[in-house]
PDB file of all heavy atoms in Angstrom:
ATOM      1  N   LEU C  85     128.776  47.689 121.933  1.00  0.00           N
ATOM      2  CA  LEU C  85     128.876  49.066 121.395  1.00  0.00           C
ATOM      3  C   LEU C  85     130.152  49.741 121.832  1.00  0.00           C
ATOM      4  O   LEU C  85     130.635  49.532 122.973  1.00  0.00           O
ATOM      5  CB  LEU C  85     127.687  49.915 121.884  1.00  0.00           C
ATOM      6  CG  LEU C  85     126.300  49.334 121.593  1.00  0.00           C
ATOM      7  CD1 LEU C  85     125.232  50.224 122.266  1.00  0.00           C
ATOM      8  CD2 LEU C  85     126.048  49.197 120.121  1.00  0.00           C
ATOM      9  N   SER C  86     130.737  50.513 120.976  1.00  0.00           N
ATOM     10  CA  SER C  86     131.984  51.275 121.336  1.00  0.00           C
ATOM     11  C   SER C  86     131.983  52.646 120.709  1.00  0.00           C
ATOM     12  O   SER C  86     133.033  53.227 120.397  1.00  0.00           O
ATOM     13  CB  SER C  86     133.217  50.503 120.864  1.00  0.00           C
ATOM     14  OG  SER C  86     133.176  50.280 119.471  1.00  0.00           O
ATOM     15  N   SER C  87     130.789  53.215 120.522  1.00  0.00           N
ATOM     16  CA  SER C  87     130.654  54.548 119.902  1.00  0.00           C
ATOM     17  C   SER C  87     131.021  55.633 120.889  1.00  0.00           C
ATOM     18  O   SER C  87     131.156  55.424 122.100  1.00  0.00           O
ATOM     19  CB  SER C  87     129.262  54.767 119.421  1.00  0.00           C
ATOM     20  OG  SER C  87     128.318  54.796 120.535  1.00  0.00           O
ATOM     21  N   LYS C  88     131.188  56.849 120.377  1.00  0.00           N
ATOM     22  CA  LYS C  88     131.433  57.987 121.262  1.00  0.00           C
ATOM     23  C   LYS C  88     130.292  58.201 122.250  1.00  0.00           C
ATOM     24  O   LYS C  88     130.496  58.595 123.409  1.00  0.00           O
ATOM     25  CB  LYS C  88     131.645  59.258 120.423  1.00  0.00           C
ATOM     26  CG  LYS C  88     132.940  59.250 119.572  1.00  0.00           C
ATOM     27  CD  LYS C  88     133.055  60.534 118.743  1.00  0.00           C
ATOM     28  CE  LYS C  88     134.291  60.483 117.897  1.00  0.00           C
ATOM     29  NZ  LYS C  88     134.424  61.718 117.049  1.00  0.00           N
ATOM     30  N   GLU C  89     129.091  57.941 121.773  1.00  0.00           N
ATOM     31  CA  GLU C  89     127.914  58.096 122.670  1.00  0.00           C
ATOM     32  C   GLU C  89     128.009  57.108 123.807  1.00  0.00           C
ATOM     33  O   GLU C  89     127.705  57.438 124.989  1.00  0.00           O
ATOM     34  CB  GLU C  89     126.636  57.850 121.864  1.00  0.00           C
ATOM     35  CG  GLU C  89     125.334  58.122 122.663  1.00  0.00           C
ATOM     36  CD  GLU C  89     125.095  59.593 122.888  1.00  0.00           C
ATOM     37  OE1 GLU C  89     125.816  60.433 122.332  1.00  0.00           O
ATOM     38  OE2 GLU C  89     124.186  59.895 123.669  1.00  0.00           O
ATOM     39  N   THR C  90     128.397  55.863 123.534  1.00  0.00           N
ATOM     40  CA  THR C  90     128.592  54.876 124.605  1.00  0.00           C
ATOM     41  C   THR C  90     129.632  55.316 125.577  1.00  0.00           C
ATOM     42  O   THR C  90     129.426  55.259 126.782  1.00  0.00           O
ATOM     43  CB  THR C  90     129.000  53.545 123.961  1.00  0.00           C
ATOM     44  OG1 THR C  90     127.990  53.067 123.070  1.00  0.00           O
ATOM     45  CG2 THR C  90     129.159  52.501 125.063  1.00  0.00           C
ATOM     46  N   ILE C  91     130.747  55.812 125.087  1.00  0.00           N
ATOM     47  CA  ILE C  91     131.844  56.288 125.950  1.00  0.00           C
ATOM     48  C   ILE C  91     131.352  57.432 126.825  1.00  0.00           C
ATOM     49  O   ILE C  91     131.690  57.508 128.028  1.00  0.00           O
ATOM     50  CB  ILE C  91     133.034  56.689 125.087  1.00  0.00           C
ATOM     51  CG1 ILE C  91     133.655  55.518 124.391  1.00  0.00           C
ATOM     52  CG2 ILE C  91     134.116  57.385 125.966  1.00  0.00           C
ATOM     53  CD1 ILE C  91     134.687  55.842 123.331  1.00  0.00           C
ATOM     54  N   ARG C  92     130.563  58.316 126.253  1.00  0.00           N
ATOM     55  CA  ARG C  92     130.017  59.482 127.032  1.00  0.00           C
ATOM     56  C   ARG C  92     129.178  58.960 128.188  1.00  0.00           C
ATOM     57  O   ARG C  92     129.295  59.453 129.310  1.00  0.00           O
ATOM     58  CB  ARG C  92     129.233  60.399 126.113  1.00  0.00           C
ATOM     59  CG  ARG C  92     128.646  61.586 126.841  1.00  0.00           C
ATOM     60  CD  ARG C  92     127.956  62.555 125.904  1.00  0.00           C
ATOM     61  NE  ARG C  92     126.767  62.019 125.355  1.00  0.00           N
ATOM     62  CZ  ARG C  92     125.523  62.096 125.911  1.00  0.00           C
ATOM     63  NH1 ARG C  92     125.388  62.722 127.069  1.00  0.00           N
ATOM     64  NH2 ARG C  92     124.461  61.601 125.314  1.00  0.00           N
ATOM     65  N   HIS C  93     128.286  57.999 127.902  1.00  0.00           N
ATOM     66  CA  HIS C  93     127.418  57.490 128.928  1.00  0.00           C
ATOM     67  C   HIS C  93     128.229  56.740 129.991  1.00  0.00           C
ATOM     68  O   HIS C  93     127.908  56.812 131.222  1.00  0.00           O
ATOM     69  CB  HIS C  93     126.338  56.595 128.335  1.00  0.00           C
ATOM     70  CG  HIS C  93     125.255  57.340 127.641  1.00  0.00           C
ATOM     71  ND1 HIS C  93     124.485  58.287 128.276  1.00  0.00           N
ATOM     72  CD2 HIS C  93     124.731  57.252 126.367  1.00  0.00           C
ATOM     73  CE1 HIS C  93     123.597  58.773 127.441  1.00  0.00           C
ATOM     74  NE2 HIS C  93     123.739  58.184 126.318  1.00  0.00           N
ATOM     75  N   VAL C  94     129.273  55.984 129.570  1.00  0.00           N
ATOM     76  CA  VAL C  94     130.101  55.289 130.527  1.00  0.00           C
ATOM     77  C   VAL C  94     130.737  56.317 131.488  1.00  0.00           C
ATOM     78  O   VAL C  94     130.784  56.122 132.732  1.00  0.00           O
ATOM     79  CB  VAL C  94     131.202  54.474 129.818  1.00  0.00           C
ATOM     80  CG1 VAL C  94     132.274  54.040 130.816  1.00  0.00           C
ATOM     81  CG2 VAL C  94     130.585  53.300 129.112  1.00  0.00           C
ATOM     82  N   MET C  95     131.222  57.416 130.892  1.00  0.00           N
ATOM     83  CA  MET C  95     131.840  58.485 131.702  1.00  0.00           C
ATOM     84  C   MET C  95     130.806  59.065 132.719  1.00  0.00           C
ATOM     85  O   MET C  95     131.141  59.217 133.903  1.00  0.00           O
ATOM     86  CB  MET C  95     132.358  59.572 130.791  1.00  0.00           C
ATOM     87  CG  MET C  95     133.042  60.716 131.448  1.00  0.00           C
ATOM     88  SD  MET C  95     134.608  60.256 132.199  1.00  0.00           S
ATOM     89  CE  MET C  95     135.127  61.816 132.916  1.00  0.00           C
ATOM     90  N   GLN C  96     129.614  59.356 132.252  1.00  0.00           N
ATOM     91  CA  GLN C  96     128.630  59.984 133.085  1.00  0.00           C
ATOM     92  C   GLN C  96     128.145  59.040 134.182  1.00  0.00           C
ATOM     93  O   GLN C  96     127.727  59.486 135.272  1.00  0.00           O
ATOM     94  CB  GLN C  96     127.426  60.426 132.242  1.00  0.00           C
ATOM     95  CG  GLN C  96     127.727  61.588 131.326  1.00  0.00           C
ATOM     96  CD  GLN C  96     126.561  61.998 130.471  1.00  0.00           C
ATOM     97  OE1 GLN C  96     125.700  61.182 130.164  1.00  0.00           O
ATOM     98  NE2 GLN C  96     126.512  63.267 130.069  1.00  0.00           N
ATOM     99  N   SER C  97     128.212  57.745 133.937  1.00  0.00           N
ATOM    100  CA  SER C  97     127.661  56.794 134.905  1.00  0.00           C
ATOM    101  C   SER C  97     128.572  56.644 136.138  1.00  0.00           C
ATOM    102  O   SER C  97     128.151  56.117 137.157  1.00  0.00           O
ATOM    103  CB  SER C  97     127.510  55.382 134.234  1.00  0.00           C
ATOM    104  OG  SER C  97     128.805  54.791 134.040  1.00  0.00           O
ATOM    105  N   GLY C  98     129.816  57.084 135.986  1.00  0.00           N
ATOM    106  CA  GLY C  98     130.791  56.913 137.077  1.00  0.00           C
ATOM    107  C   GLY C  98     131.564  55.602 137.034  1.00  0.00           C
ATOM    108  O   GLY C  98     132.349  55.312 137.953  1.00  0.00           O
ATOM    109  N   ALA C  99     131.388  54.855 135.930  1.00  0.00           N
ATOM    110  CA  ALA C  99     132.127  53.584 135.805  1.00  0.00           C
ATOM    111  C   ALA C  99     133.642  53.859 135.747  1.00  0.00           C
ATOM    112  O   ALA C  99     134.075  54.932 135.355  1.00  0.00           O
ATOM    113  CB  ALA C  99     131.700  52.887 134.535  1.00  0.00           C
ATOM    114  N   HIS C 100     134.379  52.857 136.110  1.00  0.00           N
ATOM    115  CA  HIS C 100     135.858  52.979 136.205  1.00  0.00           C
ATOM    116  C   HIS C 100     136.559  52.448 134.967  1.00  0.00           C
ATOM    117  O   HIS C 100     137.772  52.607 134.822  1.00  0.00           O
ATOM    118  CB  HIS C 100     136.368  52.245 137.445  1.00  0.00           C
ATOM    119  CG  HIS C 100     135.807  52.735 138.700  1.00  0.00           C
ATOM    120  ND1 HIS C 100     134.551  52.321 139.201  1.00  0.00           N
ATOM    121  CD2 HIS C 100     136.275  53.606 139.598  1.00  0.00           C
ATOM    122  CE1 HIS C 100     134.321  52.904 140.353  1.00  0.00           C
ATOM    123  NE2 HIS C 100     135.310  53.700 140.612  1.00  0.00           N
ATOM    124  N   GLY C 101     135.834  51.768 134.092  1.00  0.00           N
ATOM    125  CA  GLY C 101     136.462  51.257 132.877  1.00  0.00           C
ATOM    126  C   GLY C 101     135.417  50.746 131.906  1.00  0.00           C
ATOM    127  O   GLY C 101     134.219  50.641 132.198  1.00  0.00           O
TER     128      GLY C 101
END
Side-chain angles (χ1 to χ4, degrees):
L85 305 175
S86 58
S87 65
K88 293 179 182 179
E89 186 72 9
T90 301
I91 293 170
R92 179 175 70 88
H93 283 305
V94 168
M95 181 69 180
Q96 290 177 334
S97 73
H100 301 83

